[in-house]
Each structure stands twice: as C-alpha cells, then as structure tokens.
Amino acid sequence: MAAIPGHCTFRSHKFPLSSAFSSSSFSGGALRSSRISFVSPLSVRRNHISCQTSSATSPPSSSVSGTAKGEKKDFLHISDFDKATIMKILDRAAEVKALLKSGDRSFVPFKGKTMAMIFAKPSMRTRVSFETGFFLLGGHAIYLGPDDIQIGKREETRDVARVLCRYNDIIMARVFAHQDILDLAKFATVPVVNGLTDYNHPCQIMADALTIIEHIGQLEGTKVVYVGDGNNIVHSWLLLAAVVPFHFVCACPRGFEPDKETVEKARQAGISKIEITNDPKEAVKGADVVYSDVWASMGQKEEAAYRRQVFQGFQVDEALMKTAGPKAYFMHCLPAERGVEVTDGVIEAPNSVVFPQAENRMHAQNAIMLHVLGL
C-alpha cells in the first residue's frame, strides 16, 4: 500500500457472505461456491460456507475499537463478535483451507497488501502461520522482532501504531501487556489482530474451534475440559463460551484459577455451562476434548520448578484420557513440555489432534484477516 502523506486511511467495503457453495473453483481470483460437511460419530452437521466477502459485524464491545473510526474492524477478543460472525469466520476458514489443500493458488485477495507483524514475544507457530498464510493469499508480511521496536520502551505504542498504519494495510501483534494491543487498536487506522497477549489468545482458540468442528462435527454442545494453569488460553475459551454454547471446564490447582471477571462474564452471558474445579479426574469425565498447555508460560520460567510441584496431579496422561473416555480428543496449543503437563504417549496417540490443530492456526487466521479487511 502506498504511503499517504499527512494521514492514514482505511476503507472497508461490505459485501454479502454467501451461505452455500457447490464446488471449490476459482476464476479471476474470485472463489466460486462449494459445500463442505463434517461427519462425527456423535452428530452430523453441514456447514454451508463461502469465500465471498463477509458482511460487517456489529461494533466490538471493547471501547478501543471505537465507532469514531467508522468501518475499521479489529480482532482483539472473540467476545467482541456475535455467534453468527464467529461461525461465518470459521466456515470461511474451512473453505479457504480446502482450497489451499487442493493446490489452487489463484485466490489472492491480499495481493498488493502488506502486514506488519509485531513480536514482543517470539513464536514459531504465530510467525510462520501468519506470514505463510498472508503470502499464500497474495500478500507480503513484515516481521518486527523484539529488538526492532521495543514497543512501549524505545517508542510509545501510540506512535508505533500511527507510523505502521501509514505503511501497512493490517497490523498483527504478539505482546505481553494486554494494554499494548488495546493501544495499538486505539491509535491505528488499519485493522489490528491480537496474536497473543498475557490476557488472551483469540487466534489460537479460533483454530481450536475449527479443529473441533472438523473432528467432532460441531462446536455447540461439546464438552471441552482444560487441565492446567488458568491462563490466557483459558480466558479465550471463556470468551468464546460467552458467544457460542458449549460446556467448558477448567481444572486447575488452587490459586491458579482464571481471572474472576472473565469467568463471571462467561457465566453472565447465560449461553454456556462454565465450571472451574480443582479435580481433573472428575472434570474430564465425558469430555469431547481434553486440552492442556504448559504450566509455566513465557515470562514465568523462573516459577517452573515451583509450578511443577504445585501442578502434581494435573498432568494429562494415559490414565486421565482413559477416564475421559474413548471418544475424547487431546488438544494442546504447543509448544509442549513432554513429560511435564502431558505425556509423550498422549501426544502421539491416535486421538491426539495437536498437529492438525497447529496447522489450523494459519487457516483460522487467514479467515480472520479476510474478515477484518472486508475482503
């Protein structure tokens, strides 16, 4: 995108989202309709999805996504969107994934567009999934590592936002403080996508939801049990549960529960069944998904030894998966510390979907970027 002196601009164009398609085919860069269905041992559900431009959503609830910016859309929290919008994004992710898997590279909606990727926290999956996905759809992504910006230290976040939006069409940021992503969204005039903060990780949970739909057939009505630290992954699951109805359980040691306000927000939505417990064995009974994450995240490594003691009994091992039942899938957002929060045997078991889950980061994020760019 050419730089425009004196100000930053962004225009969002609204187009209807087609609800069904018959076969994946492209002509002149536009995706024609097709139909995908997911078959589950529990249920069968057909998803009618299209790679045509998605319709605009209602304004996000976050104050920083301000209506003063007109049509600009950010992706900061899953709960900023309604159920219909979340499901449309997931449906579109499935369609674009099917297209890329077919080897077709004619769909290039990001052609001529650039994305700035801010990494205060390094990550293999986040960088490769965003950069590769943006490239496969015709765009160019620019990596800005921890030493390139030093956001909030060498330069104020608001200044970074207002400079980058003059060069780029979209900004993705993976940062520590949640306030940094809020400030980027507040001052940038192009869409901002939350690649992770200490508070939440919405792109990961969108990929997780896509994975569940692929393997179970639907997200609604499933029982997802998270075992471990009540961290940013849990917060994102809770925010999704405030929008889409399912049963979410977080089993964690005492003192490591998720943020109380976020738990209360999910419960007050009155959509999903929410449980916070300290008993993992009881929690996983009847689970469709057992989910784990590292016990000590980036920035908490000095607590690793202490946490290993406190989290005894919260390892996802073969015995716990047996308690969950034969239909339970295992998920992990990776990287995993094998032998710590999960055994090697569980990760390598046939019902482990951690690698399809990792792949779906790219496909879910592609759909998120298409949505916020109005393409």
Side-chain angles (χ1 to χ4, degrees), residues 76 118 120 150-153 155-158 161 173-187 192 196-197:
L76 309 180
I118 300 172
Q150 294 182 2
I151 191 166
K153 296 178 181 179
E155 190 167 5
E156 290 192 23
T157 306
R158 57 182 174 176
R174 178 182 168 92
V175 296
F176 287 91
H178 192 64
Q179 189 61 47
D180 284 339
I181 202 77
L182 299 181
D183 288 345
L184 282 169
K186 180 177 181 179
F187 290 100
V192 172
L196 173 141
T197 71

Side-chain angles (χ1 to χ4, degrees), residues 182-221:
L182 299 181
D183 288 345
L184 282 169
K186 180 177 181 179
F187 290 100
T189 57
V190 298
V192 172
V193 175
N194 180 356
L196 173 141
T197 71
D198 284 346
Y199 173 68
N200 72 339
H201 198 354
C203 290
Q204 177 66 59
I205 270 51
M206 290 293 283
D208 297 343
L210 177 62
T211 308
I212 290 172
I213 291 170
E214 288 177 339
H215 288 82
I216 297 178
Q218 62 184 30
L219 174 60
E220 292 187 43

Side-chain angles (χ1 to χ4, degrees), residues 59-73:
S61 60
S62 173
S63 61
V64 300
S65 298
T67 56
K69 293 182 180 179
E71 300 298 332
K72 186 175 92 77
K73 290 180 285 189

Side-chain angles (χ1 to χ4, degrees), residues 117-190:
M117 303 189 302
I118 300 172
F119 281 83
K121 279 186 175 184
S123 169
M124 177 183 76
R125 268 156 297 277
T126 300
R127 177 178 179 179
V128 176
S129 60
F130 268 106
E131 190 167 336
T132 302
F134 204 68
F135 169 78
L136 288 175
L137 298 189
H140 176 68
I142 303 166
Y143 174 78
L144 299 167
D147 295 329
D148 293 319
I149 294 182
Q150 294 182 2
I151 191 166
K153 296 178 181 179
R154 190 171 71 186
E155 190 167 5
E156 290 192 23
T157 306
R158 57 182 174 176
D159 294 344
V160 170
R162 288 183 286 192
V163 168
L164 289 180
C165 71
R166 292 173 180 261
Y167 306 136
N168 299 279
D169 299 277
I170 185 171
I171 298 169
M172 185 282 295
R174 178 182 168 92
V175 296
F176 287 91
H178 192 64
Q179 189 61 47
D180 284 339
I181 202 77
L182 299 181
D183 288 345
L184 282 169
K186 180 177 181 179
F187 290 100
T189 57
V190 298

